[in-house]
Amino acid sequence: MNVQTTEKSREQLHEELRKPDVITGSEILLRSLLLEDVDCVFGYPGGAVLYIYDAMHGNPDFNHLLTRHEQGAIHAADGYARSTGKVGVCIATSGPGATNLVTGIATAYMDSVPLVVITGNVATSVIGTDAFQEADITGITMPITKHSYLVRDVKDLSRVIKEAFHIANTGRKGPVLIDIPKDVSNATCEFQYPNSVSLRGYNPTVTPNKLQVEKMIQAIAESERPVIIAGAGVVAADASQELLEFVEKARIPVATTLLGLGGFPSSHELWMGMPGMHGTYTANHALQNCDLLIGIGARFDDRVTMKVDGFAPKAKKIVHIDVDPAEIGKIVETTIPCVGDVKTVLQLANQKVQAAQSDAWIDWVKTNKQEHPLRYIDSDTELKPQYVIEMINETTKGEAIVTTDVGQHQMWAAQYYKFNHPRSIITSGGLGTMGFGFPSAIGAQMAHPDRLVVSINGDGGMQMCSQELAICAINNIPVKVVIINNQVLGMVRQWQEIIYDNRYSHIDLAGSPDFVKLAEAYGVKGLRATNKEEAQRAWAEALETPGPVVVEFVVRKGENVFPMVTQGSTLDQLILGDSE
């Protein structure tokens, strides 16, 4: 189904798809996905899913993108989901096909991304016999899925699919796995797709306890030094406008986590930047001096809090708003818990919230922002990675969808690209998955064919899924692929320099391929820059090129990400680097 399908044609398609025909499990699967308005499925065929792929043959309504590795498929589905808020879908065969999805499932689970992951399995008659390409994928993935299904009867399949989409995209979102044995995909029954879902024991709390919201409002009114940490939950709940209204009414400075970037506009006077290990001076010092801390859709990850028993030591009260009750009090002791959907909580709060007594505090924050901005020592002889990110930000005016891989370039992108819109940064936060950045950009680009999608990668992570360049070339997917090449595992090198006394161990990537030739080998334009002039010229050419482009920026090998808080330190114990 084309992404641009009109509502009228969609209604017509749904009417056709709901016809109660006797069809195979494979056809049930495809119909059900179309009824869930799935625009694109990412996958890789194999023996156990051949009936499913056979059903795709000649189906003009079903859009499938063949990746070059199952991990590329699930990361693409993840990028699709993060950039749209819809459920991402991928398909793989049994055994190694399914196990190749495990890293992607864990990535989505850690970052609460809604996916429906479909795997094939051996026939039900041989499950448990160590048949060819058999793996217990439901058992393997149990700790990293919201729920898993092994469908043993074709009559259950449509119900299971309906439930899977509901579970994946409600409450705290996450991946759901559906394992379909080969004989089930070929069995037949009358197709009836459920209109609704009712699951006993699964009723996520959406509406909060109003008394807790009242307590938060009272705490704000009494506060002189309030701070908000806004996380991925703000984006997942589509609550950016509600947060903006809340902040402006309550007059509270905001720090956005890595996955919360864009959930509150970086151009706003009350935005302080990202907190934590590589957070800004202003955000970290504000957290250490606040008298009221409000966590909104943030789980107080260890890279945000750093030394937990030294985190926010002056906060008399800590409010935690989260849809998942298991997160509240898990890391940081919470004074006022607010369990509920972030959007709903903020809508309730906005009806009554009054400004904090924060005028002097806001002046203090603004002074810190002016006196301690992000800094780096620029160079006219070497290309600095920070300069590259700033250039990308300026030329795209902060309007691109930016995906990143994991490492130093990820932190530079978070620091120097200014995100003003939700769902404009796609990055692996919780699991820190190298190889994620490029295929996730493909998923985002498939979801937004008219948007500029920029994938920022290191020379290490790029080599983990570079084979997906093939599908960009074949399908003319116009992702602009940036490689920040410092010829080393940069973040590992930085830790070995600062924490391990310059004992550099197995980090040299100097033997990497010529990325320009690699791109060209796949039929993609490749460009390289080693100084500012070349960088500007190459990037301009990339933006003017209608199709996919790889741009390699050869940067200084020894550049570090600052500020930095080392493990075991508190947030105000920042290493600022040579620039301060």
Side-chain angles (χ1 to χ4, degrees):
M1 182 169 61
N2 189 285
V3 177
Q4 304 300 321
T5 299
T6 65
E7 287 304 316
K8 183 178 179 182
S9 65
R10 179 168 286 161
E11 289 173 7
Q12 291 173 338
L13 180 62
H14 280 207
E15 187 177 345
E16 293 173 6
L17 293 169
R18 283 187 176 276
K19 290 178 181 177
D21 300 332
V22 175
I23 55 177
T24 66
S26 298
E27 292 167 320
I28 288 171
L29 173 63
L30 301 195
R31 281 200 192 187
S32 300
L33 293 178
L34 289 170
L35 285 166
E36 290 294 336
D37 292 328
V38 174
D39 297 318
C40 185
V41 173
F42 306 87
Y44 201 95
V49 290
L50 284 184
Y51 286 122
I52 296 170
Y53 277 82
D54 187 55
M56 292 181 199
H57 185 73
N59 187 331
D61 300 314
F62 196 82
N63 185 18
H64 175 279
L65 189 69
L66 172 64
T67 59
R68 292 301 182 264
H69 193 286
E70 291 88 357
Q71 190 166 329
I74 192 164
H75 290 334
D78 187 312
Y80 175 96
R82 293 191 203 222
S83 68
T84 61
K86 296 175 64 177
V87 178
V89 181
C90 65
I91 299 179
T93 192
S94 64
T99 58
N100 277 345
L101 297 174
V102 170
T103 297
I105 295 171
T107 300
Y109 184 77
M110 286 285 279
D111 290 348
S112 305
V113 179
L115 296 183
V116 168
V117 180
I118 298 157
T119 55
N121 209 332
V122 297
T124 54
S125 60
V126 292
I127 287 178
T129 67
D130 296 327
F132 177 67
Q133 290 193 332
E134 180 186 1
D136 178 12
I137 194 62
T138 55
I140 290 168
T141 60
M142 190 174 292
I144 52 170
T145 52
K146 276 191 77 175
H147 194 63
S148 296
Y149 293 93
L150 172 59
V151 184
R152 290 181 175 269
D153 189 332
V154 70
K155 294 175 184 176
D156 296 328
L157 186 54
S158 60
R159 172 187 58 81
V160 164
I161 295 166
K162 184 73 175 180
E163 289 178 3
F165 275 83
H166 175 72
I167 293 168
N169 211 26
T170 53
R172 181 175 182 172
K173 303 178 182 185
V176 177
L177 184 134
I178 305 174
D179 197 31
I180 306 174
K182 189 171 184 178
D183 56 325
V184 172
S185 67
N186 192 43
T188 59
C189 72
E190 185 175 8
F191 176 65
Q192 288 185 323
Y193 199 63
N195 291 315
S196 61
V197 174
S198 179
L199 293 171
R200 189 177 67 179
Y202 180 72
N203 293 292
T205 301
V206 175
T207 306
N209 184 315
K210 291 183 179 179
L211 179 60
Q212 298 303 100
V213 178
E214 295 281 355
K215 287 180 180 179
M216 175 180 70
I217 291 170
Q218 182 63 33
I220 291 169
E222 296 169 355
S223 172
E224 296 179 355
R225 303 187 312 278
V227 165
I228 288 170
I229 293 181
V234 173
V235 178
D238 294 320
S240 298
Q241 286 302 311
E242 287 78 6
L243 176 61
L244 180 61
E245 181 183 347
F246 181 73
V247 168
E248 292 184 339
K249 284 182 173 179
R251 300 296 294 161
I252 303 176
V254 180
T256 43
T257 67
L258 175 64
L259 295 180
L261 290 170
F264 186 79
S266 62
S267 57
H268 199 283
E269 63 171 357
L270 293 179
W271 185 69
M272 300 183 292
M274 185 173 67
M277 176 176 280
H278 295 293
T280 64
Y281 181 100
T282 304
N284 282 3
H285 277 80
L287 283 167
Q288 294 304 91
N289 287 282
C290 67
D291 64 2
L292 172 65
L293 174 57
I294 305 175
I296 304 179
R299 59 188 181 85
F300 295 110
D301 174 79
D302 59 290
R303 291 293 173 96
V304 168
T305 63
M306 299 311 292
K307 186 180 180 181
V308 177
D309 59 6
F311 175 70
K314 298 179 183 178
K316 298 172 186 175
K317 292 182 179 179
I318 295 179
V319 181
H320 193 175
I321 302 170
D322 205 291
V323 75
D324 184 0
E327 285 299 333
I328 294 178
K330 186 177 85 173
I331 309 275
V332 174
E333 188 174 344
T334 303
T335 317
I336 303 173
C338 261
V339 179
D341 174 71
V342 167
K343 191 183 189 80
T344 305
V345 173
L346 291 178
Q347 285 172 340
L348 282 171
N350 284 338
Q351 295 173 13
K352 295 183 179 179
V353 70
Q354 300 294 320
Q357 304 166 44
S358 57
D359 288 350
W361 175 241
I362 290 172
D363 289 341
W364 181 87
V365 166
K366 289 180 178 178
T367 299
N368 270 312
K369 283 177 68 174
Q370 291 172 357
E371 294 180 353
H372 301 283
L374 290 168
R375 290 190 175 104
Y376 66 96
I377 299 174
D378 204 356
S379 172
D380 291 325
T381 57
E382 294 178 299
L383 188 59
K384 290 296 188 84
Q386 301 95 326
Y387 172 83
V388 173
I389 305 300
E390 285 182 326
M391 178 189 68
I392 294 170
N393 178 64
E394 289 167 7
T395 53
T396 63
K397 297 180 173 57
E399 294 296 318
I401 295 174
V402 175
T403 78
T404 85
D405 213 83
V406 172
Q408 286 182 313
H409 69 275
Q410 178 188 32
M411 293 297 102
W412 285 316
Q415 290 176 336
Y416 290 95
Y417 197 93
K418 302 307 176 188
F419 298 95
N420 281 314
H421 309 291
R423 305 194 186 281
S424 56
I425 180 171
I426 297 169
T427 191
S428 172
L431 198 66
T433 303
M434 289 179 69
F436 172 85
F438 173 41
S440 68
I442 294 171
Q445 189 75 82
M446 292 296 291
H448 303 276
D450 298 324
R451 290 279 302 275
L452 173 63
V453 178
V454 179
S455 180
I456 301 175
N457 306 270
D459 48 320
M462 184 62 197
Q463 294 182 73
M464 294 189 176
C465 279
S466 61
Q467 71 279 348
E468 304 307 335
L469 283 167
I471 63 173
C472 286
I474 292 166
N475 299 283
N476 197 34
I477 301 170
V479 175
K480 310 308 177 191
V481 183
V482 170
I483 301 173
I484 305 294
N485 187 358
N486 56 8
Q487 301 181 58
V488 71
L489 282 170
M491 192 60 86
V492 180
R493 187 210 57 75
Q494 178 168 336
W495 278 49
Q496 288 177 348
E497 175 189 326
I498 295 172
I499 302 170
Y500 294 88
D501 298 326
N502 298 297
R503 292 191 297 276
Y504 300 117
S505 179
H506 299 284
I507 55 169
D508 186 6
L509 296 180
S512 298
D514 181 323
F515 288 106
V516 172
K517 290 182 178 179
L518 181 67
E520 291 171 347
Y522 279 106
V524 173
K525 177 183 280 190
L527 304 168
R528 179 181 293 111
T530 60
N531 57 47
K532 286 182 177 180
E533 183 182 349
E534 290 177 356
Q536 292 169 1
R537 189 166 58 246
W539 183 241
E541 183 176 346
L543 292 177
E544 290 166 2
T545 301
V549 183
V550 172
V551 189
E552 177 191 12
F553 295 97
V554 181
V555 300
R556 179 175 178 266
K557 187 174 185 177
E559 195 71 13
N560 287 331
V561 181
F562 291 118
M564 180 181 181
V565 180
T566 57
Q567 289 181 318
S569 301
T570 55
L571 288 178
D572 50 359
Q573 296 174 317
L574 294 100
I575 302 171
L576 297 174
D578 297 332
S579 62
E580 290 202 29

